[in-house]
Amino acid sequence: MDDGEDYLHEVQFKNQRNNAVNDNITSFYIETEKFNKVEDKLITNLDKWIYFIKNLEIVCF
């Protein structure tokens, strides 16, 4: 994950010692309003999925 991708967040629950409570559980949150790539600039599969989700109404109807 590129550090410049401020629309994608990886989250883990941590205890008071900053250790992951469970290394097998990670959540990802996407802020679609911050994703501003246009269709011809999509590079990765993740780019394409986020673009699809963000533009679902336009793509499917």
Side-chain angles (χ1 to χ4, degrees):
M1 182 166 45
D2 187 319
D3 291 334
E5 296 176 346
D6 63 344
Y7 54 84
L8 182 61
H9 307 280
E10 180 178 345
V11 179
Q12 282 190 321
F13 290 106
K14 297 192 175 196
N15 64 18
Q16 62 274 20
R17 292 182 204 94
N18 203 31
N19 296 323
V21 173
N22 186 333
D23 288 329
N24 296 319
I25 299 175
T26 301
S27 298
F28 291 89
Y29 294 90
I30 301 168
E31 294 183 78
T32 56
E33 68 277 358
K34 290 184 178 180
F35 183 82
N36 296 316
K37 290 186 180 181
V38 293
E39 190 172 5
D40 62 338
K41 299 294 182 187
L42 304 177
I43 298 169
T44 67
N45 285 336
L46 180 62
D47 287 346
K48 294 172 185 175
W49 272 110
I50 296 173
Y51 180 85
F52 175 78
I53 292 167
K54 182 173 181 176
N55 296 288
L56 192 59
E57 185 175 307
I58 296 168
V59 174
C60 292
F61 297 103

